[in-house]
PDB file of all heavy atoms in Angstrom:
ATOM      1  N   VAL D 191     -24.506  11.321  26.404  1.00 98.00           N
ATOM      2  CA  VAL D 191     -25.948  11.391  26.142  1.00 98.00           C
ATOM      3  C   VAL D 191     -26.240  12.437  25.068  1.00 98.00           C
ATOM      4  O   VAL D 191     -27.044  12.192  24.148  1.00 98.00           O
ATOM      5  CB  VAL D 191     -26.719  11.716  27.440  1.00 98.00           C
ATOM      6  CG1 VAL D 191     -28.190  12.002  27.130  1.00 98.00           C
ATOM      7  CG2 VAL D 191     -26.601  10.568  28.425  1.00 98.00           C
ATOM      8  N   HIS D 192     -25.571  13.576  25.154  1.00 98.00           N
ATOM      9  CA  HIS D 192     -25.782  14.642  24.168  1.00 98.00           C
ATOM     10  C   HIS D 192     -25.272  14.224  22.792  1.00 98.00           C
ATOM     11  O   HIS D 192     -25.900  14.496  21.768  1.00 98.00           O
ATOM     12  CB  HIS D 192     -25.090  15.915  24.637  1.00 98.00           C
ATOM     13  CG  HIS D 192     -25.630  17.163  23.998  1.00 98.00           C
ATOM     14  ND1 HIS D 192     -25.268  18.428  24.409  1.00 98.00           N
ATOM     15  CD2 HIS D 192     -26.487  17.348  22.960  1.00 98.00           C
ATOM     16  CE1 HIS D 192     -25.881  19.324  23.668  1.00 98.00           C
ATOM     17  NE2 HIS D 192     -26.626  18.702  22.781  1.00 98.00           N
ATOM     18  N   VAL D 193     -24.130  13.542  22.750  1.00 98.00           N
ATOM     19  CA  VAL D 193     -23.590  13.033  21.481  1.00 98.00           C
ATOM     20  C   VAL D 193     -24.599  12.095  20.829  1.00 98.00           C
ATOM     21  O   VAL D 193     -24.885  12.191  19.625  1.00 98.00           O
ATOM     22  CB  VAL D 193     -22.250  12.306  21.701  1.00 98.00           C
ATOM     23  CG1 VAL D 193     -21.849  11.522  20.445  1.00 98.00           C
ATOM     24  CG2 VAL D 193     -21.156  13.295  22.064  1.00 98.00           C
ATOM     25  N   ASN D 194     -25.158  11.190  21.614  1.00 98.00           N
ATOM     26  CA  ASN D 194     -26.141  10.236  21.085  1.00 98.00           C
ATOM     27  C   ASN D 194     -27.347  10.969  20.519  1.00 98.00           C
ATOM     28  O   ASN D 194     -27.849  10.624  19.435  1.00 98.00           O
ATOM     29  CB  ASN D 194     -26.565   9.272  22.189  1.00 98.00           C
ATOM     30  CG  ASN D 194     -27.510   8.203  21.687  1.00 98.00           C
ATOM     31  OD1 ASN D 194     -28.730   8.363  21.729  1.00 98.00           O
ATOM     32  ND2 ASN D 194     -26.959   7.103  21.201  1.00 98.00           N
ATOM     33  N   ARG D 195     -27.807  11.994  21.221  1.00 98.00           N
ATOM     34  CA  ARG D 195     -28.969  12.767  20.768  1.00 98.00           C
ATOM     35  C   ARG D 195     -28.679  13.474  19.443  1.00 98.00           C
ATOM     36  O   ARG D 195     -29.506  13.493  18.529  1.00 98.00           O
ATOM     37  CB  ARG D 195     -29.355  13.774  21.840  1.00 98.00           C
ATOM     38  CG  ARG D 195     -30.671  14.511  21.590  1.00 98.00           C
ATOM     39  CD  ARG D 195     -30.956  15.509  22.683  1.00 98.00           C
ATOM     40  NE  ARG D 195     -30.936  14.874  23.993  1.00 98.00           N
ATOM     41  CZ  ARG D 195     -30.271  15.337  25.042  1.00 98.00           C
ATOM     42  NH1 ARG D 195     -29.525  16.434  24.935  1.00 98.00           N
ATOM     43  NH2 ARG D 195     -30.322  14.719  26.193  1.00 98.00           N
ATOM     44  N   VAL D 196     -27.478  14.032  19.327  1.00 98.00           N
ATOM     45  CA  VAL D 196     -27.099  14.744  18.104  1.00 98.00           C
ATOM     46  C   VAL D 196     -27.006  13.787  16.918  1.00 98.00           C
ATOM     47  O   VAL D 196     -27.488  14.083  15.813  1.00 98.00           O
ATOM     48  CB  VAL D 196     -25.767  15.487  18.318  1.00 98.00           C
ATOM     49  CG1 VAL D 196     -25.177  15.949  16.997  1.00 98.00           C
ATOM     50  CG2 VAL D 196     -25.966  16.681  19.250  1.00 98.00           C
ATOM     51  N   LEU D 197     -26.392  12.632  17.128  1.00 98.00           N
ATOM     52  CA  LEU D 197     -26.287  11.648  16.047  1.00 98.00           C
ATOM     53  C   LEU D 197     -27.666  11.162  15.621  1.00 98.00           C
ATOM     54  O   LEU D 197     -27.925  10.973  14.420  1.00 98.00           O
ATOM     55  CB  LEU D 197     -25.414  10.471  16.494  1.00 98.00           C
ATOM     56  CG  LEU D 197     -23.916  10.770  16.658  1.00 98.00           C
ATOM     57  CD1 LEU D 197     -23.196   9.563  17.251  1.00 98.00           C
ATOM     58  CD2 LEU D 197     -23.285  11.151  15.320  1.00 98.00           C
ATOM     59  N   GLN D 198     -28.554  10.960  16.590  1.00 97.00           N
ATOM     60  CA  GLN D 198     -29.917  10.549  16.259  1.00 97.00           C
ATOM     61  C   GLN D 198     -30.618  11.615  15.413  1.00 97.00           C
ATOM     62  O   GLN D 198     -31.362  11.291  14.472  1.00 97.00           O
ATOM     63  CB  GLN D 198     -30.717  10.294  17.546  1.00 97.00           C
ATOM     64  CG  GLN D 198     -30.266   9.089  18.346  1.00 97.00           C
ATOM     65  CD  GLN D 198     -30.641   7.768  17.686  1.00 97.00           C
ATOM     66  OE1 GLN D 198     -31.227   7.726  16.616  1.00 97.00           O
ATOM     67  NE2 GLN D 198     -30.278   6.671  18.333  1.00 97.00           N
ATOM     68  N   GLU D 199     -30.358  12.878  15.731  1.00 98.00           N
ATOM     69  CA  GLU D 199     -30.964  13.967  14.959  1.00 98.00           C
ATOM     70  C   GLU D 199     -30.465  13.965  13.516  1.00 98.00           C
ATOM     71  O   GLU D 199     -31.256  14.129  12.573  1.00 98.00           O
ATOM     72  CB  GLU D 199     -30.648  15.313  15.627  1.00 98.00           C
ATOM     73  CG  GLU D 199     -31.276  16.509  14.933  1.00 98.00           C
ATOM     74  CD  GLU D 199     -30.979  17.822  15.637  1.00 98.00           C
ATOM     75  OE1 GLU D 199     -30.540  17.784  16.805  1.00 98.00           O
ATOM     76  OE2 GLU D 199     -31.171  18.887  15.011  1.00 98.00           O
ATOM     77  N   LEU D 200     -29.158  13.769  13.316  1.00 98.00           N
ATOM     78  CA  LEU D 200     -28.605  13.732  11.963  1.00 98.00           C
ATOM     79  C   LEU D 200     -29.138  12.528  11.191  1.00 98.00           C
ATOM     80  O   LEU D 200     -29.392  12.621   9.983  1.00 98.00           O
ATOM     81  CB  LEU D 200     -27.072  13.707  12.016  1.00 98.00           C
ATOM     82  CG  LEU D 200     -26.399  14.967  12.565  1.00 98.00           C
ATOM     83  CD1 LEU D 200     -24.897  14.762  12.684  1.00 98.00           C
ATOM     84  CD2 LEU D 200     -26.691  16.173  11.665  1.00 98.00           C
ATOM     85  N   ARG D 201     -29.301  11.403  11.887  1.00 98.00           N
ATOM     86  CA  ARG D 201     -29.904  10.223  11.240  1.00 98.00           C
ATOM     87  C   ARG D 201     -31.356  10.508  10.853  1.00 98.00           C
ATOM     88  O   ARG D 201     -31.788  10.185   9.739  1.00 98.00           O
ATOM     89  CB  ARG D 201     -29.857   9.021  12.197  1.00 98.00           C
ATOM     90  CG  ARG D 201     -28.490   8.429  12.461  1.00 98.00           C
ATOM     91  CD  ARG D 201     -28.665   7.116  13.217  1.00 98.00           C
ATOM     92  NE  ARG D 201     -27.412   6.556  13.683  1.00 98.00           N
ATOM     93  CZ  ARG D 201     -26.969   6.618  14.933  1.00 98.00           C
ATOM     94  NH1 ARG D 201     -27.689   7.241  15.848  1.00 98.00           N
ATOM     95  NH2 ARG D 201     -25.827   6.065  15.272  1.00 98.00           N
ATOM     96  N   LYS D 202     -32.110  11.076  11.787  1.00 98.00           N
ATOM     97  CA  LYS D 202     -33.529  11.342  11.564  1.00 98.00           C
ATOM     98  C   LYS D 202     -33.742  12.277  10.380  1.00 98.00           C
ATOM     99  O   LYS D 202     -34.713  12.144   9.618  1.00 98.00           O
ATOM    100  CB  LYS D 202     -34.140  11.940  12.829  1.00 98.00           C
ATOM    101  CG  LYS D 202     -35.643  12.166  12.753  1.00 98.00           C
ATOM    102  CD  LYS D 202     -36.169  12.710  14.071  1.00 98.00           C
ATOM    103  CE  LYS D 202     -37.670  12.983  13.986  1.00 98.00           C
ATOM    104  NZ  LYS D 202     -38.194  13.521  15.275  1.00 98.00           N
TER     105      LYS D 202
END
Side-chain angles (χ1 to χ4, degrees):
V191 171
H192 201 171
V193 168
N194 184 268
R195 188 181 305 131
V196 166
L197 290 174
Q198 292 288 1
E199 182 178 345
L200 294 175
R201 290 190 188 102
K202 184 178 178 180

